[in-house]
């Protein structure tokens, strides 16, 4: 049996009639741009997250960089970003002309290490982007404390954390704004690209509504230079359907993580399991990332693929070692915790439709891969 990293077809089979009805409604109305489904989804997602405003945009990347722009971050500014994240977090900073200041991670939670963030403070640092990575909240009490002391703007990257709960609140409610991605494989995924910004700031929300629509809220009146980055109405209709299932799907992901914990317990000498940080109330397991203590990670990954298990690596090349960021002049050894993680981590399949049998198959394949 092949077990993919994520199985979108299994999810579609379970919700097909609801999705088809929602899409048929859009086609009937033909309100394809900023249609009724967009406004309905924005209201529902704002309620789910627990914020006053949700602004649908074209992608998670746009959600982050438009937020930075609306928050007034620009050329000459610096923004603290964890070294271990998807490159889009750093690119969002680059897009507004600012410079990402990378910060190494806490080895247990894989999220930004606040002591290192404090040490990275320098003139020009205006903002910090905590990333709720793999579905686990970042250390938000510490982030907010640092931000208050140093006058930093907080923008959450919640692309991997729809529904995740920190002991001080839900992810997406902490910062001046939070960017979400609806990339298809996310916990809440569209059938194409999509993203959203959540905020409690009325003025920021107005500005973002304009920015995503060529700088206009009244047709052909443009108080500023915006762009075209709207959440597509068809995607919003799909997301509206899926949002109704999100809490149950997140529960299923946690159940799968529980099964992995049992099934992988005998491999404890070789495999370190993902931790739930002391500040985490609900980890939503967007990814199930283990760390191999001594085995050759790449060989293990190859053997898993040969056994039909779709494991992955998030992420194999840290941002500072990407050619795109050669201009940061940060060579190997700059962020040892991130670099060590990049060599040792392995993402095992996880999706809400996984069964105990699937988990046992993955655990057996991993055991065999490590034994050979
Ligand atoms: C942590 C993180 N930030 C940002 C993004 C960018 O989102 P998108 O692919 O929707 O542009 C992603 C996902 O791709 C992500 O995982």
């Amino acid at each position: 049996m092949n077990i993919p990293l994520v199985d979108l077809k299994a999810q579609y089979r379970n919700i097909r009639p609801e999705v088809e009805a929602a899409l048929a409604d859009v086609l009937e109305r033909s309100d394809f741009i900023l249609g009724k489904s967009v406004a309905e989804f924005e209201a529902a997602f704002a309620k789910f997250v627990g914020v006053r405003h949700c602004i649908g945009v074209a992608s998670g990347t746009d959600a982050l960089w438009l937020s930075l722009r609306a928050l007034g971050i620009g050329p000459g500014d610096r923004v603290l970003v964890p070294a271990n994240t998807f490159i889009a977090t750093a690119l969002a900073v680059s897009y507004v002309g600012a410079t990402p200041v990378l910060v190494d991670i806490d080895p247990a939670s894989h999220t930004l290490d606040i002591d290192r963030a404090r040490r990275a403070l320098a003139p020009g640092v205006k903002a910090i982007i905590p990333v709720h990575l793999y579905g686990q909240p970042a250390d938000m009490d510490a982030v907010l404390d640092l931000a208050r002391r140093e006058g930093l703007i907080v923008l959450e990257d919640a692309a991997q954390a729809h529904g995740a709960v920190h002991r001080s609140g839900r992810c997406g409610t902490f910062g001046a704004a939070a960017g979400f991605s609806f990339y298809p494989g996310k916990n809440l995924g569209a059938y194409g690209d999509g993203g959203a910004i959540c905020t409690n700031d009325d003025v920021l929300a107005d500005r973002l509504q304009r920015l995503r629509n060529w700088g206009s809220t009244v047709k052909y009146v443009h108080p500023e230079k915006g762009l075209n980055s709207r959440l597509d109405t068809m995607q919003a209709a799909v997301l509206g359907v899926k949002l109704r299932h999100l809490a149950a799907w997140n529960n299923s992901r946690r159940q799968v993580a529980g099964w992995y914990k049992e099934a992988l317990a005998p491999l404890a000498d070789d495999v370190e399991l993902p931790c739930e940080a002391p500040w985490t109330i609900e980890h939503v397991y967007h990814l199930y990332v283990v760390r191999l203590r001594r085995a050759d990670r790449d060989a293990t990954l190859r053997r898993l693929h040969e056994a039909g298990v779709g494991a992955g690596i998030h992420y194999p090349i840290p941002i500072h070692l990407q050619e795109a960021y050669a201009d940061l002049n940060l060579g190997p050894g700059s962020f040892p915790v991130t670099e060590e993680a990049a060599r040792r981590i392995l993402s095992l399949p996880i999706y809400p439709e996984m069964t105990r049998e699937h988990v046992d198959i993955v655990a057996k394949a991993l055991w065999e891969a490590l034994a050979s």
Side-chain angles (χ1 to χ4, degrees):
M1 189 196 289
N2 283 355
I3 303 183
L5 187 62
V6 45
D7 190 349
L8 296 179
K9 284 185 251 177
Q11 190 188 64
Y12 177 55
R13 281 194 290 271
N14 288 339
I15 56 170
R16 189 173 169 161
E18 291 172 79
V19 169
E20 286 180 353
L23 290 176
D25 276 353
V26 178
L27 293 172
E28 238 3 276
R29 287 196 307 270
S30 292
D31 55 348
F32 299 115
I33 303 298
L34 294 180
K36 183 168 169 245
S37 303
V38 174
E40 282 175 357
F41 172 71
E42 287 173 336
F45 195 63
K47 188 162 176 232
F48 174 83
V49 173
V51 289
R52 287 153 65 101
H53 306 282
C54 165
I55 301 100
V57 292
S59 70
T61 307
D62 281 6
L64 293 173
W65 85 261
L66 285 172
S67 297
L68 288 170
R69 184 167 153 191
L71 287 162
I73 306 295
D77 295 335
R78 294 169 185 275
V79 179
L80 300 174
V81 171
N84 181 47
T85 178
F86 182 58
I87 195 167
T89 318
L91 287 174
V93 176
S94 302
Y95 289 163
V96 295
T99 305
V101 175
L102 300 175
V103 175
D104 214 346
I105 52 163
D106 154 41
S109 69
H110 291 109
T111 60
L112 181 137
D113 181 321
I114 203 68
D115 290 328
R116 289 188 166 94
R118 198 173 292 115
R119 275 182 257 141
L121 286 169
V125 173
K126 293 266 174 60
I128 181 167
I129 310 186
V131 180
H132 307 304
L133 198 72
Y134 308 149
Q136 166 136 269
D139 184 0
M140 288 312 296
D141 293 331
V143 168
L144 294 175
D145 184 54
L146 180 73
R148 251 188 314 268
R149 284 169 199 272
E150 304 294 334
L152 305 179
I153 293 169
V154 177
L155 170 64
E156 297 172 70
D157 182 339
Q160 303 190 359
H162 316 72
V165 183
H166 180 281
R167 66 180 169 210
S168 300
R170 195 180 283 268
C171 289
T173 61
F174 293 105
F180 286 86
S181 163
F182 304 126
Y183 178 83
K186 298 292 198 246
N187 288 34
L188 180 62
Y191 290 154
D193 276 310
I197 301 147
C198 285
T199 181
N200 281 316
D201 182 330
D202 302 350
V203 176
L204 193 70
D206 271 1
R207 176 103 199 271
L208 285 162
Q209 239 136 24
R210 280 201 306 272
L211 280 177
R212 70 162 176 193
N213 193 37
W214 304 300
S216 160
T217 40
V218 177
K219 205 162 189 178
Y220 304 132
V221 180
H222 303 267
E224 65 177 323
K225 297 185 188 81
L227 74 155
N228 179 347
S229 177
R230 299 168 297 213
L231 176 63
D232 184 84
T233 305
M234 299 283 263
Q235 301 302 342
V238 170
L239 290 166
V241 168
K242 287 192 171 197
L243 182 57
R244 298 200 287 267
H245 298 274
L246 180 59
W249 286 339
N250 281 344
N251 281 335
S252 299
R253 285 175 182 273
R254 277 198 295 280
Q255 168 77 81
V256 172
W259 289 331
Y260 268 130
K261 200 170 173 183
E262 283 170 30
L264 298 176
L267 302 182
D269 287 347
D270 289 297
V271 182
E272 190 183 324
L273 302 186
C275 89
E276 294 201 359
W279 56 80
T280 296
I281 303 284
E282 276 185 31
H283 190 320
V284 291
Y285 289 98
H286 171 56
L287 293 167
Y288 191 84
V289 178
V290 301
R291 193 186 277 246
L292 302 187
R293 295 188 200 276
R294 51 193 179 195
D296 178 330
R297 193 274 315 276
D298 292 336
T300 309
L301 182 66
R302 216 168 30 247
R303 287 184 201 118
L304 285 174
H305 285 170
E306 282 159 13
V309 171
I313 306 168
H314 299 86
Y315 295 90
I317 307 173
I319 293 167
H320 64 289
L321 301 180
Q322 297 282 357
E323 214 179 316
Y325 276 112
D327 55 345
L328 292 178
N329 288 317
L330 294 163
S334 303
F335 301 103
V337 185
T338 293
E339 291 169 33
E340 174 71 3
R343 278 191 293 273
R344 305 243 134 256
I345 51 177
L346 191 63
S347 306
L348 301 179
I350 191 160
Y351 46 91
E353 297 75 17
M354 261 184 105
T355 62
R356 173 78 211 218
E357 190 197 355
H358 292 141
V359 167
D360 289 341
I361 291 169
V362 175
K364 182 160 174 285
L366 182 56
W367 183 80
E368 285 171 356
L370 292 169
S372 59

